[in-house]
Structures are given as structure tokens and as C-alpha cells.
């Protein structure tokens, strides 16, 4: 196939990418036929998967608005994916033009496209990085230039930790990221769960093994440990639509069908 201009050399166009599958589900245009085929296979098992992806993106926007209104003006967004309308810097800088954002993603396609849309924005940058290697992220020039960890910061881990296998020690990676944050900082986490999920969802999870980033479903109790001793804000760790909905109608009759939990915590 012809390589589009937004896809850098070295990317395997014959293997689906988790970030491009996600891009497809949220209505983006930066995906290939191989990604759409896998997404459609997953949809056969979990017809509400696109809704789940959108619920995650909606929670991100609600959280960033809350954080910006709370005075946070710097964000580290890990596992940012391919930016679509309403990404972190758009939401934050609409409220505070001086807000600073660094995106981090392991997928070269996501990074390359992010670089293209961030061109000309001196207060936002993207780096290629693995959340399982936090020291490399913290030492990146873009991070040290734009973010000041001596002041409160928001660490966003939305829809990324379930791509970190147990052998890569996700809990230790989160601990390292949080220990360098100043008091008054926040961490937002969303994570896919196996809790209460029907067999077809668990079967769909196996399909993620065809990408370079297999999904690991975890229970609520384990996900809650990633917040450590930080103070969880109301309503706590809940199914995605239940986290501070802007309209009760947005919750729906079965918020648990989102198949993921989300929460926001503050370092006191």
C-alpha cells in the first residue's frame, strides 16, 4: 500500500496498531485497512466498544477542564495516542492559553501525527516513550523544558496502563512518576477491567494480542492501588460515565458496560 505522508518510514503497515484502532473507534482518519479489519472483528464481540472509547475520551475532556479550573497549568499525558478533536492541549489552552502539555506515546504513528498538529505551538510537545520506562520520559528534553515538577502538575494515564503487562511492572512505573510530583498535583487514571464483563468481552481482549500492545484487564482493587496514598476525589474510582457527568442523561442505564474504571486523585 502507498505510505501516507503522516506515516513515518519504519512503520509496519501490515500489522495493526493499537493507537490506530483507537483512532478508528473515536472517528479519526489516521488508520489503515488492517486496523479497521481488527476493529471490526473486535466489534463483533463487543458492539459497544466504540462507545467505550468515546467514554474514555469524554472523561479526559471533563478531567482536563476540571484541572484547568483548579489552577493546573501543566500536563503530562502518557499514552496520548493519535490526537483527535478535543485533546488535552486544545481543552486546556482554551481555558488557559499558557497551559503546557507534553504528550507521550509508544506508537511512532501517534508521535509523528502529534508532531504535525503541534507545529507552531511552543507550549505543547510530544515524545516517543514507554510508560514502563518513566525515567527516560522524565529526562526527555521536551519534558524538562516545558514542565516544572516543583509546581503542581497533572499526570494523565488514561487508557494506557492496561497496555502495560505485569512483567513490565506498571505499579512501579506509576510510583516513579508520582513520587516526583509536587504537592497539589493530580493523577487521572482510566483502565479497562474484567469485572463483570461477559465472556465475549474477554474473548475480544484476546484479539488485542494481534497488535504490538496487548490489553491486560485488571480488577478494580488492583487499579485502585495505582493511586497509592493520593486522595481520590469524588465520586472515587467508578465506571467511566459515572465520573462527574455533565448531564445525567450521559450516564445511560448501564454505565458498567463501559468496561473500564476511571478516577482522579490529588497529592496532598
Amino acid at each position: 500500500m502507498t505510505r501516507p505522508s503522516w506515516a513515518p518510514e519504519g512503520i509496519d503497515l501490515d500489522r495493526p496498531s493499537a493507537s490506530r484502532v483507537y483512532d478508528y473507534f473515536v472517528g479519526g482518519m489516521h488508520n489503515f485497512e488492517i486496523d479497521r479489519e481488527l476493529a471490526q472483528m473486535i466489534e463483533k464481540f463487543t458492539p459497544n466498544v466504540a462507545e467505550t472509547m468515546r467514554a474514555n475520551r469524554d472523561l479526559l475532556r471533563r478531567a482536563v477542564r476540571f484541572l484547568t479550573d483548579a489552577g493546573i497549568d501543566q500536563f503530562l499525558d502518557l499514552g496520548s495516542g493519535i490526537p483527535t478533536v478535543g485533546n488535552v492541549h486544545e481543552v486546556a489552552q482554551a481555558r488557559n492559553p499558557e497551559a503546557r502539555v507534553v504528550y507521550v506515546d509508544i506508537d511512532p504513528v501517534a508521535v509523528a501525527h502529534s508532531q504535525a498538529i503541534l507545529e507552531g505551538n511552543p507550549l505543547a510537545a510530544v515524545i516517543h516513550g514507554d510508560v514502563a520506562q518513566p525515567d527516560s520520559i522524565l529526562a526527555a528534553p521536551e519534558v524538562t523544558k516545558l514542565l516544572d515538577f516543583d509546581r503542581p502538575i497533572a499526570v494523565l494515564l488514561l487508557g494506557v496502563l492496561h497496555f502495560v503487562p505485569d512483567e513490565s511492572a506498571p505499579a512501579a512505573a506509576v510510583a516513579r512518576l508520582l513520587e516526583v510530583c509536587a504537592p497539589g498535583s493530580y493523577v487521572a487514571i482510566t483502565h479497562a477491567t474484567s469485572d463483570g464483563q461477559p465472556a465475549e468481552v474477554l474473548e475480544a481482549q484476546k484479539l488485542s494480542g494481534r497488535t504490538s500492545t496487548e490489553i491486560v484487564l485488571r480488577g478494580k482493587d488492583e487499579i485502585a492501588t495505582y493511586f497509592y496514598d493520593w486522595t481520590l476525589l469524588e465520586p472515587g474510582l467508578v465506571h467511566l460515565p459515572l465520573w462527574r457527568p455533565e448531564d445525567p442523561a450521559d450516564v445511560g442505564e448501564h454505565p458498567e458496560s463501559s468496561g473500564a474504571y476511571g478516577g482522579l486523585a490529588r497529592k496532598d
Side-chain angles (χ1 to χ4, degrees), residues 4-129:
S5 60
W6 53 267
E9 294 295 331
I11 291 175
D12 185 356
L13 304 187
D14 296 319
R15 184 177 186 182
S17 154
S19 66
R20 295 196 305 263
V21 170
Y22 178 85
D23 177 73
Y24 168 80
F25 278 132
V26 297
M29 300 180 64
H30 297 88
N31 49 77
F32 303 131
E33 182 61 30
I34 191 72
D35 307 304
R36 295 188 286 273
E37 289 176 356
L38 177 57
Q40 289 157 10
M41 289 177 65
I42 294 173
E43 276 190 304
K44 289 180 180 179
F45 290 101
T46 54
N48 66 331
V49 66
E51 180 181 346
T52 299
M53 301 295 186
R54 288 192 292 270
N56 189 72
R57 177 64 68 166
D58 289 344
L59 186 149
L60 179 147
R61 287 190 279 261
R62 297 196 301 275
V64 171
R65 284 194 289 265
F66 169 86
L67 291 164
T68 307
D69 292 346
I72 297 297
D73 61 0
Q74 47 181 358
F75 299 82
L76 180 62
D77 183 5
L78 299 114
S80 51
I82 299 174
T84 57
V85 175
N87 48 54
V88 176
H89 77 277
E90 289 181 336
V91 176
Q93 292 176 354
R95 275 170 148 73
N96 178 0
E98 299 303 312
R100 298 168 178 259
V101 180
V102 176
Y103 294 106
V104 183
D105 205 274
I106 198 171
D107 189 331
V109 169
V111 174
H113 187 58
S114 299
Q115 289 171 333
I117 70 167
L118 295 176
E119 186 174 356
N121 188 333
L123 299 182
V126 61
I127 64 171
H128 182 257

Side-chain angles (χ1 to χ4, degrees), residues 212-233:
S212 59
T213 46
E214 183 175 0
I215 296 173
V216 181
L217 303 178
R218 297 184 173 100
K220 184 176 183 179
D221 289 346
E222 183 175 2
I223 297 168
T225 65
Y226 295 147
F227 294 96
Y228 293 91
D229 59 352
W230 290 29
T231 301
L232 263 172
L233 276 60

Side-chain angles (χ1 to χ4, degrees), residues 226-249:
Y226 295 147
F227 294 96
Y228 293 91
D229 59 352
W230 290 29
T231 301
L232 263 172
L233 276 60
E234 292 294 335
L237 183 60
V238 295
H239 291 292
L240 303 184
L242 294 172
W243 196 86
R244 302 191 179 208
E246 295 173 344
D247 187 324

